[in-house]
Amino acid sequence: MYNKKEENKRIGNIGEGIAVKFLENKGFFVLSRNYKRKFGEVDIIAQKGKVIHFAEVKSVRSAQAGDVTRENGGYRPEELVHPGKLRKISMVANEYMANKPDNLDYQIDVVAVFIDEARRIGKCRFSENVN
């Protein structure tokens, strides 16, 4: 049995794996996972065309994976990416981009992952350019 912290980490790892597959299926090339710097971490760095995407992944367990909206009182994990977290991601992104060619642009995205462990499925909701 997992304690709450271990369980959150386990669900987060599953969610990041699902998010990677989701992005790859959408034509992204994943450059890095769990990219850490002293002032923050980015879950996934991916590239599509001439844009580098810094993706924050928020994962939750859900019996109806992906069928959750604010309108029906559901939980929107992407709303947990608060301004402080966006600042940290932006700092990491700026450092990462410092040594990249000038013709590349970047943006910060959020991938919300809804995991239904019983049915072994996950669904993603992708929010682009959230900064």
Side-chain angles (χ1 to χ4, degrees):
M1 197 70 190
Y2 298 100
N3 67 36
K4 183 154 178 64
K5 186 175 181 177
E6 290 169 334
E7 178 65 4
N8 288 345
K9 186 168 180 62
R10 186 182 74 80
I11 292 298
N13 287 336
I14 292 169
E16 283 182 21
I18 293 169
V20 164
K21 293 292 186 202
F22 170 80
L23 291 171
E24 289 174 340
N25 288 338
K26 294 240 176 244
F28 290 80
F29 177 74
V30 174
L31 302 169
S32 183
R33 286 182 68 175
N34 303 107
Y35 183 82
K36 291 180 173 80
R37 288 296 168 257
K38 62 184 173 194
F39 38 76
E41 176 183 358
V42 175
D43 294 327
I44 300 170
I45 301 174
Q47 185 170 353
K48 187 172 185 182
K50 291 187 178 263
V51 179
I52 305 291
H53 296 259
F54 295 86
E56 176 69 9
V57 179
K58 291 295 181 187
S59 306
V60 294
R61 286 191 306 195
S62 170
Q64 297 99 20
D67 190 27
V68 180
T69 66
R70 186 180 345 187
E71 292 76 27
N72 68 18
Y75 179 57
R76 294 181 53 88
E78 59 270 39
E79 292 176 355
L80 295 177
V81 184
H82 52 80
K85 180 65 174 174
L86 288 174
R87 268 192 307 278
K88 287 181 178 182
I89 294 170
S90 184
M91 289 169 57
V92 172
N94 285 325
E95 182 179 290
Y96 183 89
M97 295 301 292
N99 297 319
K100 299 295 178 211
D102 288 341
N103 67 335
L104 293 176
D105 200 2
Y106 78 90
Q107 66 185 49
I108 298 172
D109 305 323
V110 177
V111 182
V113 181
F114 300 88
I115 301 165
D116 181 341
E117 288 187 286
R119 297 186 336 191
R120 299 186 51 83
I121 61 170
K123 295 199 177 175
C124 297
R125 184 167 44 222
F126 188 45
S127 301
E128 289 190 81
N129 211 13
V130 297
N131 51 328

